[in-house]
Amino acid sequence: MASTRAVWGIDIGQCAFKALRVRAVGDKIEALAHEYIEHPKILSQPDADRPALVAKALEQFLSKHDVRQDRVVVGVPGQHTLSRFTKLPPVEEKKIPDIVRFEANQQIPFDMDEVVWDWQTFRTGEAGDLEVGIFAMRRELVAEHLQPFAKANIEPVVVQSAPLALYNALRYDGQLAEGATLLLDIGAQNTDLVVAEPTSLWTRNIPIGGNNFTEALLKTFKISFAKAESLKRTAASSKYARQIFQAMRPVFADLVAEIQRSTGFYSSTHRGTRITKVVGMGNAFKLPGLQKFLQSNLGLDVIRPSTFSKLSVASAQNAPQLIEHLLSFGVAYGLALQGLGLTQITSNLLPPEIAKAIIWRRKIPWFWGAAAC
């Protein structure tokens, strides 16, 4: 059942801080507010002070929005999370958790005390085979991502991996095809690839992102990183658009090769499944020629959404900015939907000890009230 309480989905990307506040209204989701705060430097740049830049963006966000009465769901990067998928034998429902724990011990390449992990079951194929997705993240990395929120006295109720949040968003929004849909979210450093079916998914992280295009321009034109980034962003309107595209072409080719390798592996392990379309997300999809290049080389329709069909933005503050940056808000949308209880994937990488501490803190006023009575 959908929660009527407003939820913030917060996605801290390499280029920008993205936050979306929503609530459920009937069968629609209403966007109430949002923030898109671009970092002065890309967080992965060698001279960037990541903690300071994230803290500054969070401070700017909190100067405009009071989140104390809302639920907050936070995203973590796909490249920092581990996803493993395995088919389960036909067993009684009550035995599944024990089998999953055994599989997690086998498939997570770290000591179990060093990770936060959760799992999700799926029904796949025409026979409805039972498959489990195991999702994990190193505790130290979870702590690093949550530290700015702790300093700002924000207590997230859910921590979710970005590619899973994206799947939740596009599945809920009706963007998936009948067969399998390839979701590509091209970030600054990495690309999250998700093969999405209506009842299941498979995900992989590709170490190619917007920075690779910038570095290609840097090397070709012998300019600084900042100038190359500016050239990339204005390429569509530049009189040198053809030369810019040619400089970036090798990166396009590398990206296509990695996508084909990933989809080839998926097809070999999921016989009979056919990918029918591609949905592209992330600001990098605004690059001139990228959509056409992928469409030509993958032999599939490549769609770049201009709206979310179930998200009403009419009531949102500064709605034109939200629409302008819509390709970057897929993850934040999915995070907020999970906070509303409207998603298929419900796994949570919030450390159990933090979740328990939050629950106890919220019970304290009730204890004092009971004592006073």
Side-chain angles (χ1 to χ4, degrees):
M1 183 176 175
S3 168
T4 55
R5 191 173 168 186
V7 177
W8 278 102
I10 299 179
D11 172 28
I12 301 178
Q14 293 290 322
C15 289
F17 174 103
K18 292 146 285 186
L20 181 65
R21 184 175 185 251
V22 303
R23 68 179 176 189
V25 181
D27 62 348
K28 287 272 189 179
I29 302 300
E30 184 179 23
L32 302 173
H34 80 284
E35 279 298 329
Y36 183 90
I37 302 170
E38 195 161 341
H39 304 304
K41 289 184 178 179
I42 294 173
L43 299 185
S44 56
Q45 283 183 243
D47 59 341
D49 184 347
R50 187 186 190 283
L53 291 170
V54 171
K56 184 178 178 182
L58 195 53
E59 181 184 352
Q60 187 176 338
F61 166 69
L62 292 174
S63 69
K64 299 178 183 177
H65 306 281
D66 183 357
V67 304
R68 288 174 294 181
Q69 302 304 314
D70 297 330
R71 292 163 64 84
V72 175
V73 180
V74 172
V76 288
Q79 70 266 30
H80 289 170
T81 55
L82 177 85
S83 299
R84 294 289 186 268
F85 300 88
T86 185
K87 283 188 167 58
L88 297 184
V91 293
E92 295 178 53
E93 197 79 21
K94 63 182 181 181
K95 292 183 179 179
I96 292 176
D98 291 334
I99 295 174
V100 171
R101 271 189 286 273
F102 174 79
E103 288 291 339
N105 269 291
Q106 300 301 308
Q107 300 206 32
I108 295 175
F110 304 106
D111 189 291
M112 297 302 285
D113 292 333
E114 295 178 8
V115 299
V116 181
W117 71 282
D118 203 352
W119 56 281
Q120 184 92 26
T121 55
F122 308 97
R123 291 286 175 182
T124 63
E126 292 180 4
D129 296 329
L130 187 63
E131 187 174 49
V132 64
I134 297 170
F135 313 111
M137 186 171 178
R138 295 285 297 270
R139 280 185 175 274
E140 60 194 57
L141 290 175
V142 177
E144 182 183 316
H145 282 284
L146 292 182
Q147 187 178 34
F149 295 96
K151 286 184 176 179
N153 293 318
I154 297 174
E155 296 181 329
V157 294
V158 176
V159 173
Q160 183 58 280
S161 175
L164 302 186
L166 182 67
Y167 171 84
N168 277 336
L170 298 185
R171 180 183 183 275
Y172 177 84
D173 208 64
Q175 304 271 0
L176 305 187
E178 268 191 31
T181 304
L182 182 62
L183 312 180
L184 296 175
D185 188 6
I186 305 179
Q189 273 189 303
N190 298 266
T191 294
D192 285 326
L193 178 150
V194 182
V195 180
E197 297 189 57
T199 58
S200 66
L201 80 156
W202 178 84
T203 180
R204 182 196 167 213
N205 186 264
I206 297 174
I208 297 174
N211 284 359
N212 296 85
F213 295 100
T214 305
E215 286 163 8
L217 296 177
L218 181 154
K219 291 175 184 176
T220 301
F221 299 111
K222 313 297 182 190
I223 53 179
S224 67
F225 186 93
K227 286 183 178 178
E229 181 69 18
S230 176
L231 189 64
K232 180 184 75 176
R233 294 187 183 198
T234 58
S237 58
S238 172
K239 62 181 179 180
Y240 302 110
R242 184 178 178 82
Q243 291 93 322
I244 293 169
F245 176 79
Q246 288 300 326
M248 296 189 295
R249 192 181 180 90
V251 184
F252 288 174
D254 289 343
L255 180 60
V256 165
E258 287 296 325
I259 292 170
Q260 290 173 330
R261 189 160 72 91
S262 300
T263 54
F265 173 82
Y266 182 82
S267 297
S268 70
T269 56
H270 294 73
R271 301 287 183 183
T273 300
R274 180 170 164 266
I275 296 172
T276 55
K277 73 172 182 178
V278 180
V279 177
M281 301 294 292
N283 272 340
F285 252 93
K286 296 178 181 177
L287 281 171
L290 177 57
Q291 185 176 2
K292 186 178 178 181
F293 188 88
L294 289 175
Q295 194 157 292
S296 172
N297 285 273
L298 296 177
L300 296 167
D301 285 337
V302 179
I303 297 160
R304 197 174 72 179
S306 57
T307 61
F308 290 129
S309 61
K310 293 188 178 180
L311 180 68
S312 171
V313 301
S315 302
Q317 302 164 5
N318 196 5
Q321 188 198 46
L322 177 57
I323 294 168
E324 178 189 352
H325 293 291
L326 190 79
L327 287 175
S328 295
F329 274 89
V331 171
Y333 182 28
L335 295 171
L337 286 170
Q338 185 168 350
L340 290 173
L342 294 170
T343 57
Q344 183 189 10
I345 308 293
T346 57
S347 56
N348 187 354
L349 295 180
L350 182 69
E353 61 275 14
I354 295 179
K356 288 177 184 176
I358 291 172
I359 291 170
W360 277 106
R361 271 197 294 276
R362 289 177 179 174
K363 285 183 177 180
I364 287 174
W366 293 98
F367 291 150
W368 282 112
C373 289

